[in-house]
Amino acid sequence: MTAQISERLIFEGQQVALLSNPLNDYFALGGINPGFESTSTALWRGYVGAWEISNDRLYLIGLRGTLESGDDASLESVFPGFKDRVFAHWFSGRMRIPQGKRLEYVHMGYASTYERDVLLTLQNGVVLTKEIRLNGVAEDDAPEGYSIGAMTTWPSRKAGGEE
Amino acid sequence: MIWLWVYLVAGMVYLVLIYGIHLRERQAYKNSELLKSMRGSLSTKDMLLEKVIAPAIGGTLVVLAWPAALVYSLKSKRDARLETKRREDAVFRVRAKDLLTQTTVHEVEAVAHIVDPMRAVPDLPFGHLNSVWQSFLNKRPLGAELWAFSCDHTSVWGHVTAREGYVWVLGDKRAPWMLTRETFKDRDDD
C-alpha cells in the first residue's frame, strides 16, 4: 500500500486536503461508477475530487482523472447534466481535514498523523458538527501540510497504445 | 521397542493415506495448461529435487512426526471451514429483525425528495441516486411489500457499518434491497 493523494476541499475560504473519499459512498450506495483508470500506487481510486463546503452543505465541484475508456473524467462522467456542482446528499459520516505539521508519516492510505484534525460530521450532505482534535506537537523541522512520500506510476493504457 | 514400530507403522499408514488424497486432488489441476505454461520444462537437477529429494524428505518427516502432521491437517480443515462460514456470514442479507416499518412507494418518495438551494441535485426522489431507486422499483417481486430496514453489517474485511435502506418482503423472502445509507462504525474517517 502507498499513502494516497488526498481529495481537495474549499473550507472556510481556504483550499485544504480532505482525507476522506465521499464519492466512494456514492458508488457504495449503487451510484453508477464510470470506471476510473489508476495510473499510480498513490491514487488507486483513479480520481481526485474537488469539494466545497458552502452554507454548511457539501458539494462536489470538480473531478479529475482518467476513465478506463481513456477519456478525461469530469463531473458529468458521474453526474450527467451537472457540470459545475453536485450536492453530496448521499454522504453521512465524518470527514477529516489535517492541519499543522506532520507528526508521523505512514506510507498507507490516509494514515499519516498531523498536529490537528478538523473533524466534520455530516448527515445527508449537511454539516452537523465541527470539532478539532489535537494530536500533539511536531518537531520544528517537520513538514507542514499533507504530502505523500513516494509512489509508482505507469502510463495510462491509452497512452501505452493498449486496447 | 514394539511401541516404536507401532508408531512408525501408523506413520506409514498415515503417509499412504495423505498421498492418496494428494493424488486425488492433483487430478483436478494436473492437466491445467496454465500450470504447464508457468512451470516450463524442468532441468534434471530440478526434476531430481521435485520428484525424489523433496518427497523423500517430506515422507520421512511425516512418518517420524505424523501426530504433528495430523494435528496440522485437522487445524487447516477447521480453519478452512471457519473461513468459509465467515465469508458466508459477510454476504449481506436483510434479516427479519432488521425490518423497521412497512411503507409505500408514495410515502418513501415523499420523504426522499431532496431540496438544494443551489439546485445541484435532480428534482427526483433520492436525487442523484434516483436511478438506483428506479432499478429497485423495477425489481419488485409480484405481491411484495415495501419495508424500511436498519442493521449493522460486518464486511469480509471485518469493518462494521450501519446500514439503512428499503427491501421488498414477500413471505420469508427479503430481497432485493436498496441501501440509502452506509456509515462506518469502527473508524471516524476514511
Side-chain angles (χ1 to χ4, degrees), chain A residues 11-36:
Chain A
F11 177 62
E12 297 178 339
Q14 289 191 315
Q15 182 164 304
V16 296
L18 172 64
L19 305 188
S20 306
N21 300 321
L23 199 53
N24 278 1
D25 291 42
Y26 177 75
F27 298 137
L29 293 175
I32 294 169
N33 185 336
F36 294 93

PDB file of all heavy atoms in Angstrom, chain A residues 11-36:
ATOM      1  N   PHE A  11     -12.705  25.035   2.255  1.00  0.00           N
ATOM      2  CA  PHE A  11     -13.340  25.047   3.565  1.00  0.00           C
ATOM      3  C   PHE A  11     -12.988  26.350   4.267  1.00  0.00           C
ATOM      4  O   PHE A  11     -11.810  26.673   4.418  1.00  0.00           O
ATOM      5  CB  PHE A  11     -12.838  23.843   4.379  1.00  0.00           C
ATOM      6  CG  PHE A  11     -13.367  23.781   5.777  1.00  0.00           C
ATOM      7  CD1 PHE A  11     -14.724  23.663   6.029  1.00  0.00           C
ATOM      8  CD2 PHE A  11     -12.499  23.833   6.860  1.00  0.00           C
ATOM      9  CE1 PHE A  11     -15.211  23.607   7.319  1.00  0.00           C
ATOM     10  CE2 PHE A  11     -12.966  23.766   8.151  1.00  0.00           C
ATOM     11  CZ  PHE A  11     -14.330  23.661   8.383  1.00  0.00           C
ATOM     12  N   GLU A  12     -13.988  27.094   4.636  1.00  0.00           N
ATOM     13  CA  GLU A  12     -13.810  28.399   5.285  1.00  0.00           C
ATOM     14  C   GLU A  12     -12.878  29.289   4.469  1.00  0.00           C
ATOM     15  O   GLU A  12     -11.969  29.935   4.995  1.00  0.00           O
ATOM     16  CB  GLU A  12     -13.305  28.203   6.723  1.00  0.00           C
ATOM     17  CG  GLU A  12     -14.331  27.455   7.582  1.00  0.00           C
ATOM     18  CD  GLU A  12     -13.872  27.197   9.006  1.00  0.00           C
ATOM     19  OE1 GLU A  12     -12.649  27.232   9.254  1.00  0.00           O
ATOM     20  OE2 GLU A  12     -14.743  26.940   9.861  1.00  0.00           O
ATOM     21  N   GLY A  13     -13.053  29.256   3.158  1.00  0.00           N
ATOM     22  CA  GLY A  13     -12.324  30.142   2.257  1.00  0.00           C
ATOM     23  C   GLY A  13     -10.936  29.683   1.874  1.00  0.00           C
ATOM     24  O   GLY A  13     -10.239  30.364   1.121  1.00  0.00           O
ATOM     25  N   GLN A  14     -10.505  28.538   2.371  1.00  0.00           N
ATOM     26  CA  GLN A  14      -9.160  28.063   2.042  1.00  0.00           C
ATOM     27  C   GLN A  14      -9.224  26.696   1.376  1.00  0.00           C
ATOM     28  O   GLN A  14     -10.120  25.894   1.668  1.00  0.00           O
ATOM     29  CB  GLN A  14      -8.318  27.923   3.314  1.00  0.00           C
ATOM     30  CG  GLN A  14      -7.940  29.263   3.929  1.00  0.00           C
ATOM     31  CD  GLN A  14      -6.910  29.081   5.016  1.00  0.00           C
ATOM     32  OE1 GLN A  14      -7.047  28.179   5.842  1.00  0.00           O
ATOM     33  NE2 GLN A  14      -5.896  29.930   5.028  1.00  0.00           N
ATOM     34  N   GLN A  15      -8.262  26.451   0.481  1.00  0.00           N
ATOM     35  CA  GLN A  15      -8.185  25.106  -0.107  1.00  0.00           C
ATOM     36  C   GLN A  15      -7.335  24.225   0.798  1.00  0.00           C
ATOM     37  O   GLN A  15      -6.192  24.563   1.116  1.00  0.00           O
ATOM     38  CB  GLN A  15      -7.584  25.148  -1.507  1.00  0.00           C
ATOM     39  CG  GLN A  15      -7.549  23.754  -2.127  1.00  0.00           C
ATOM     40  CD  GLN A  15      -7.341  23.777  -3.623  1.00  0.00           C
ATOM     41  OE1 GLN A  15      -8.095  24.407  -4.344  1.00  0.00           O
ATOM     42  NE2 GLN A  15      -6.310  23.088  -4.086  1.00  0.00           N
ATOM     43  N   VAL A  16      -7.905  23.110   1.225  1.00  0.00           N
ATOM     44  CA  VAL A  16      -7.221  22.213   2.158  1.00  0.00           C
ATOM     45  C   VAL A  16      -7.301  20.778   1.640  1.00  0.00           C
ATOM     46  O   VAL A  16      -8.064  20.483   0.714  1.00  0.00           O
ATOM     47  CB  VAL A  16      -7.858  22.284   3.574  1.00  0.00           C
ATOM     48  CG1 VAL A  16      -7.679  23.670   4.168  1.00  0.00           C
ATOM     49  CG2 VAL A  16      -9.326  21.920   3.519  1.00  0.00           C
ATOM     50  N   ALA A  17      -6.498  19.918   2.257  1.00  0.00           N
ATOM     51  CA  ALA A  17      -6.556  18.494   1.918  1.00  0.00           C
ATOM     52  C   ALA A  17      -7.730  17.853   2.660  1.00  0.00           C
ATOM     53  O   ALA A  17      -8.005  18.190   3.814  1.00  0.00           O
ATOM     54  CB  ALA A  17      -5.246  17.821   2.322  1.00  0.00           C
ATOM     55  N   LEU A  18      -8.406  16.967   1.992  1.00  0.00           N
ATOM     56  CA  LEU A  18      -9.511  16.235   2.613  1.00  0.00           C
ATOM     57  C   LEU A  18      -9.141  14.755   2.630  1.00  0.00           C
ATOM     58  O   LEU A  18      -8.947  14.147   1.570  1.00  0.00           O
ATOM     59  CB  LEU A  18     -10.807  16.453   1.823  1.00  0.00           C
ATOM     60  CG  LEU A  18     -12.010  15.600   2.242  1.00  0.00           C
ATOM     61  CD1 LEU A  18     -12.428  15.944   3.668  1.00  0.00           C
ATOM     62  CD2 LEU A  18     -13.181  15.816   1.290  1.00  0.00           C
ATOM     63  N   LEU A  19      -9.028  14.190   3.814  1.00  0.00           N
ATOM     64  CA  LEU A  19      -8.611  12.792   3.933  1.00  0.00           C
ATOM     65  C   LEU A  19      -9.829  11.886   4.096  1.00  0.00           C
ATOM     66  O   LEU A  19      -9.915  11.085   5.035  1.00  0.00           O
ATOM     67  CB  LEU A  19      -7.624  12.630   5.086  1.00  0.00           C
ATOM     68  CG  LEU A  19      -6.385  13.539   5.019  1.00  0.00           C
ATOM     69  CD1 LEU A  19      -5.378  13.167   6.092  1.00  0.00           C
ATOM     70  CD2 LEU A  19      -5.729  13.480   3.644  1.00  0.00           C
ATOM     71  N   SER A  20     -10.768  12.029   3.245  1.00  0.00           N
ATOM     72  CA  SER A  20     -11.968  11.190   3.184  1.00  0.00           C
ATOM     73  C   SER A  20     -12.383  11.145   1.723  1.00  0.00           C
ATOM     74  O   SER A  20     -12.070  12.064   0.962  1.00  0.00           O
ATOM     75  CB  SER A  20     -13.116  11.769   4.015  1.00  0.00           C
ATOM     76  OG  SER A  20     -12.704  12.000   5.339  1.00  0.00           O
ATOM     77  N   ASN A  21     -13.079  10.099   1.339  1.00  0.00           N
ATOM     78  CA  ASN A  21     -13.497   9.951  -0.058  1.00  0.00           C
ATOM     79  C   ASN A  21     -15.018   9.853  -0.147  1.00  0.00           C
ATOM     80  O   ASN A  21     -15.565   8.753  -0.310  1.00  0.00           O
ATOM     81  CB  ASN A  21     -12.859   8.701  -0.669  1.00  0.00           C
ATOM     82  CG  ASN A  21     -11.345   8.755  -0.659  1.00  0.00           C
ATOM     83  OD1 ASN A  21     -10.750   9.801  -0.887  1.00  0.00           O
ATOM     84  ND2 ASN A  21     -10.716   7.627  -0.362  1.00  0.00           N
ATOM     85  N   PRO A  22     -15.732  10.990  -0.073  1.00  0.00           N
ATOM     86  CA  PRO A  22     -17.205  10.918  -0.073  1.00  0.00           C
ATOM     87  C   PRO A  22     -17.789  10.280  -1.339  1.00  0.00           C
ATOM     88  O   PRO A  22     -18.887   9.727  -1.294  1.00  0.00           O
ATOM     89  CB  PRO A  22     -17.624  12.392   0.030  1.00  0.00           C
ATOM     90  CG  PRO A  22     -16.455  13.079   0.656  1.00  0.00           C
ATOM     91  CD  PRO A  22     -15.256  12.370   0.129  1.00  0.00           C
ATOM     92  N   LEU A  23     -17.046  10.358  -2.440  1.00  0.00           N
ATOM     93  CA  LEU A  23     -17.595   9.764  -3.677  1.00  0.00           C
ATOM     94  C   LEU A  23     -17.630   8.238  -3.589  1.00  0.00           C
ATOM     95  O   LEU A  23     -18.454   7.596  -4.240  1.00  0.00           O
ATOM     96  CB  LEU A  23     -16.750  10.217  -4.878  1.00  0.00           C
ATOM     97  CG  LEU A  23     -17.382  10.082  -6.260  1.00  0.00           C
ATOM     98  CD1 LEU A  23     -18.742  10.747  -6.327  1.00  0.00           C
ATOM     99  CD2 LEU A  23     -16.462  10.648  -7.331  1.00  0.00           C
ATOM    100  N   ASN A  24     -16.748   7.666  -2.764  1.00  0.00           N
ATOM    101  CA  ASN A  24     -16.795   6.210  -2.564  1.00  0.00           C
ATOM    102  C   ASN A  24     -18.157   5.778  -2.033  1.00  0.00           C
ATOM    103  O   ASN A  24     -18.678   4.713  -2.392  1.00  0.00           O
ATOM    104  CB  ASN A  24     -15.720   5.775  -1.558  1.00  0.00           C
ATOM    105  CG  ASN A  24     -14.369   5.632  -2.212  1.00  0.00           C
ATOM    106  OD1 ASN A  24     -14.226   5.877  -3.405  1.00  0.00           O
ATOM    107  ND2 ASN A  24     -13.375   5.256  -1.429  1.00  0.00           N
ATOM    108  N   ASP A  25     -18.727   6.614  -1.131  1.00  0.00           N
ATOM    109  CA  ASP A  25     -20.032   6.277  -0.556  1.00  0.00           C
ATOM    110  C   ASP A  25     -21.119   6.292  -1.632  1.00  0.00           C
ATOM    111  O   ASP A  25     -22.046   5.494  -1.603  1.00  0.00           O
ATOM    112  CB  ASP A  25     -20.395   7.267   0.562  1.00  0.00           C
ATOM    113  CG  ASP A  25     -19.501   7.094   1.771  1.00  0.00           C
ATOM    114  OD1 ASP A  25     -18.287   6.916   1.575  1.00  0.00           O
ATOM    115  OD2 ASP A  25     -20.005   7.127   2.903  1.00  0.00           O
ATOM    116  N   TYR A  26     -20.988   7.221  -2.574  1.00  0.00           N
ATOM    117  CA  TYR A  26     -21.953   7.284  -3.674  1.00  0.00           C
ATOM    118  C   TYR A  26     -21.925   5.973  -4.467  1.00  0.00           C
ATOM    119  O   TYR A  26     -22.968   5.392  -4.769  1.00  0.00           O
ATOM    120  CB  TYR A  26     -21.610   8.465  -4.581  1.00  0.00           C
ATOM    121  CG  TYR A  26     -22.492   8.583  -5.792  1.00  0.00           C
ATOM    122  CD1 TYR A  26     -23.793   9.063  -5.685  1.00  0.00           C
ATOM    123  CD2 TYR A  26     -22.032   8.202  -7.052  1.00  0.00           C
ATOM    124  CE1 TYR A  26     -24.610   9.164  -6.801  1.00  0.00           C
ATOM    125  CE2 TYR A  26     -22.838   8.306  -8.172  1.00  0.00           C
ATOM    126  CZ  TYR A  26     -24.127   8.788  -8.038  1.00  0.00           C
ATOM    127  OH  TYR A  26     -24.935   8.871  -9.144  1.00  0.00           O
ATOM    128  N   PHE A  27     -20.728   5.503  -4.757  1.00  0.00           N
ATOM    129  CA  PHE A  27     -20.615   4.244  -5.505  1.00  0.00           C
ATOM    130  C   PHE A  27     -21.094   3.060  -4.657  1.00  0.00           C
ATOM    131  O   PHE A  27     -21.725   2.128  -5.162  1.00  0.00           O
ATOM    132  CB  PHE A  27     -19.176   4.016  -5.963  1.00  0.00           C
ATOM    133  CG  PHE A  27     -18.658   5.076  -6.891  1.00  0.00           C
ATOM    134  CD1 PHE A  27     -17.376   5.592  -6.758  1.00  0.00           C
ATOM    135  CD2 PHE A  27     -19.462   5.584  -7.900  1.00  0.00           C
ATOM    136  CE1 PHE A  27     -16.906   6.590  -7.607  1.00  0.00           C
ATOM    137  CE2 PHE A  27     -19.003   6.581  -8.770  1.00  0.00           C
ATOM    138  CZ  PHE A  27     -17.722   7.080  -8.607  1.00  0.00           C
ATOM    139  N   ALA A  28     -20.811   3.109  -3.360  1.00  0.00           N
ATOM    140  CA  ALA A  28     -21.233   2.009  -2.471  1.00  0.00           C
ATOM    141  C   ALA A  28     -22.751   1.901  -2.386  1.00  0.00           C
ATOM    142  O   ALA A  28     -23.302   0.822  -2.177  1.00  0.00           O
ATOM    143  CB  ALA A  28     -20.645   2.209  -1.071  1.00  0.00           C
ATOM    144  N   LEU A  29     -23.427   3.042  -2.564  1.00  0.00           N
ATOM    145  CA  LEU A  29     -24.900   3.040  -2.493  1.00  0.00           C
ATOM    146  C   LEU A  29     -25.526   2.706  -3.834  1.00  0.00           C
ATOM    147  O   LEU A  29     -26.749   2.735  -3.974  1.00  0.00           O
ATOM    148  CB  LEU A  29     -25.412   4.392  -1.995  1.00  0.00           C
ATOM    149  CG  LEU A  29     -25.054   4.734  -0.549  1.00  0.00           C
ATOM    150  CD1 LEU A  29     -25.508   6.146  -0.196  1.00  0.00           C
ATOM    151  CD2 LEU A  29     -25.672   3.728   0.419  1.00  0.00           C
ATOM    152  N   GLY A  30     -24.701   2.400  -4.807  1.00  0.00           N
ATOM    153  CA  GLY A  30     -25.236   1.965  -6.097  1.00  0.00           C
ATOM    154  C   GLY A  30     -25.117   2.991  -7.199  1.00  0.00           C
ATOM    155  O   GLY A  30     -25.531   2.730  -8.333  1.00  0.00           O
ATOM    156  N   GLY A  31     -24.586   4.190  -6.882  1.00  0.00           N
ATOM    157  CA  GLY A  31     -24.383   5.195  -7.923  1.00  0.00           C
ATOM    158  C   GLY A  31     -23.467   4.650  -9.007  1.00  0.00           C
ATOM    159  O   GLY A  31     -22.536   3.897  -8.724  1.00  0.00           O
ATOM    160  N   ILE A  32     -23.749   5.039 -10.235  1.00  0.00           N
ATOM    161  CA  ILE A  32     -23.013   4.452 -11.366  1.00  0.00           C
ATOM    162  C   ILE A  32     -21.578   4.965 -11.397  1.00  0.00           C
ATOM    163  O   ILE A  32     -21.327   6.172 -11.419  1.00  0.00           O
ATOM    164  CB  ILE A  32     -23.730   4.759 -12.686  1.00  0.00           C
ATOM    165  CG1 ILE A  32     -25.073   4.032 -12.690  1.00  0.00           C
ATOM    166  CG2 ILE A  32     -22.886   4.321 -13.881  1.00  0.00           C
ATOM    167  CD1 ILE A  32     -25.994   4.432 -13.796  1.00  0.00           C
ATOM    168  N   ASN A  33     -20.656   4.021 -11.376  1.00  0.00           N
ATOM    169  CA  ASN A  33     -19.231   4.331 -11.440  1.00  0.00           C
ATOM    170  C   ASN A  33     -18.798   4.165 -12.895  1.00  0.00           C
ATOM    171  O   ASN A  33     -18.886   3.061 -13.432  1.00  0.00           O
ATOM    172  CB  ASN A  33     -18.468   3.364 -10.523  1.00  0.00           C
ATOM    173  CG  ASN A  33     -16.996   3.700 -10.437  1.00  0.00           C
ATOM    174  OD1 ASN A  33     -16.437   4.322 -11.334  1.00  0.00           O
ATOM    175  ND2 ASN A  33     -16.354   3.287  -9.350  1.00  0.00           N
ATOM    176  N   PRO A  34     -18.313   5.235 -13.519  1.00  0.00           N
ATOM    177  CA  PRO A  34     -17.959   5.124 -14.935  1.00  0.00           C
ATOM    178  C   PRO A  34     -16.691   4.294 -15.157  1.00  0.00           C
ATOM    179  O   PRO A  34     -16.393   3.929 -16.300  1.00  0.00           O
ATOM    180  CB  PRO A  34     -17.743   6.583 -15.353  1.00  0.00           C
ATOM    181  CG  PRO A  34     -17.332   7.276 -14.101  1.00  0.00           C
ATOM    182  CD  PRO A  34     -18.070   6.588 -12.994  1.00  0.00           C
ATOM    183  N   GLY A  35     -15.964   3.990 -14.095  1.00  0.00           N
ATOM    184  CA  GLY A  35     -14.737   3.200 -14.217  1.00  0.00           C
ATOM    185  C   GLY A  35     -13.537   4.111 -14.407  1.00  0.00           C
ATOM    186  O   GLY A  35     -13.326   4.654 -15.492  1.00  0.00           O
ATOM    187  N   PHE A  36     -12.784   4.304 -13.339  1.00  0.00           N
ATOM    188  CA  PHE A  36     -11.610   5.164 -13.409  1.00  0.00           C
ATOM    189  C   PHE A  36     -10.363   4.309 -13.575  1.00  0.00           C
ATOM    190  O   PHE A  36     -10.252   3.226 -12.997  1.00  0.00           O
ATOM    191  CB  PHE A  36     -11.479   6.001 -12.131  1.00  0.00           C
ATOM    192  CG  PHE A  36     -12.591   6.992 -11.957  1.00  0.00           C
ATOM    193  CD1 PHE A  36     -13.718   6.666 -11.222  1.00  0.00           C
ATOM    194  CD2 PHE A  36     -12.524   8.237 -12.553  1.00  0.00           C
ATOM    195  CE1 PHE A  36     -14.752   7.561 -11.066  1.00  0.00           C
ATOM    196  CE2 PHE A  36     -13.559   9.155 -12.406  1.00  0.00           C
ATOM    197  CZ  PHE A  36     -14.679   8.809 -11.663  1.00  0.00           C
TER     198      PHE A  36
END
